[in-house]
Amino acid sequence: MKRLFGLLRLVAGLAILSAIIGQFVYTAGRVSINPFNFFGYFTIQSNIITMVAFLASAYFILSRKKQPTWVIYLRAVATTIIVIVGIVYNTLLAGASLAGSFDLKWSSNILHIIIPIYALVDWVLFADRKKLPFNKLWIVLIYPIVWLVVILIRGATDGWVPYPFLDPATGYGSVAAYSIAIAVFTVLFGLVVFALSRVRILKP
């Protein structure tokens, strides 16, 4: 059973890698691409974090080593942010113009639908993790806050923002409201992820 966990995470990690490379090559073949913009999307960065979490977990499992605590926390963070990617994209951004960054359908489906669903199912079903203490919940906020700060600085300086709802042109009040909503949503879903670490369905 434990080997199955590792193999599935290996496949998921490689699927993310292929989707990101595929979209980058596809976009670069059609227009001049700015890597800083392409890799500035929350979707891309969250999927990269998730890929690292899956591949790290797969490495330790398949090499018959105990998963370090940092891998468990990384998986918790990855699950939190990648599910948020799936929810936000499919409710607010599907069909929106994102500067041609997600117009390769099979790649977009992997990054926005398949991986978010798999990550949640993996976390719920596969109990190869310890119970995470709620006083460590702040960990899930580190990446989203850093990302928001960088994006807000870029929006105020060079004018580039990855998503329409963070565009300063809509008003800083609106941007602030969305930023707060992202932080609150991250904490709430992180709380769910930490709570689910206490669920034991498929044990290794």
Side-chain angles (χ1 to χ4, degrees), residues 183-194:
V184 171
F185 193 48
T186 301
V187 170
L188 291 177
F189 200 81
L191 189 63
V192 172
V193 168
F194 271 50

Side-chain angles (χ1 to χ4, degrees), residues 36-170:
F36 289 103
N37 292 353
F38 181 86
F39 289 101
Y41 283 91
F42 192 86
T43 290
I44 297 295
Q45 294 183 11
S46 296
N47 270 279
I48 290 174
I49 291 171
T50 303
M51 177 186 70
V52 172
F54 283 155
L55 293 182
S57 178
Y59 166 76
F60 285 105
I61 290 174
L62 297 178
S63 60
R64 301 182 185 279
K65 298 178 181 179
K66 181 180 179 181
Q67 293 184 81
T69 299
W70 67 264
V71 172
I72 307 299
Y73 277 105
L74 183 60
R75 286 174 50 211
V77 170
T79 302
T80 300
I81 61 178
I82 202 63
V83 173
I84 290 175
V85 164
I87 293 172
V88 171
Y89 182 84
N90 290 287
T91 57
L92 295 179
L93 297 172
S97 175
L98 297 176
S101 295
F102 302 107
D103 50 3
L104 184 59
K105 191 168 181 58
W106 68 264
S107 171
S108 183
N109 286 342
I110 288 174
L111 301 177
H112 295 116
I113 300 173
I114 296 173
I115 293 301
I117 291 174
Y118 172 74
L120 181 59
V121 170
D122 180 290
W123 187 260
V124 171
L125 291 184
F126 301 159
D128 60 329
R129 40 164 168 65
K130 66 177 185 177
K131 297 178 182 178
L132 302 182
F134 291 110
N135 63 0
K136 299 290 186 180
L137 187 60
W138 56 270
I139 291 175
V140 304
L141 274 174
I142 296 175
Y143 163 67
I145 288 177
V146 171
W147 178 83
L148 270 173
V149 169
V150 172
I151 293 303
L152 293 178
I153 291 174
R154 287 202 62 186
T157 53
D158 64 16
W160 183 84
V161 292
Y163 305 111
F165 55 79
L166 292 177
D167 190 345
T170 63

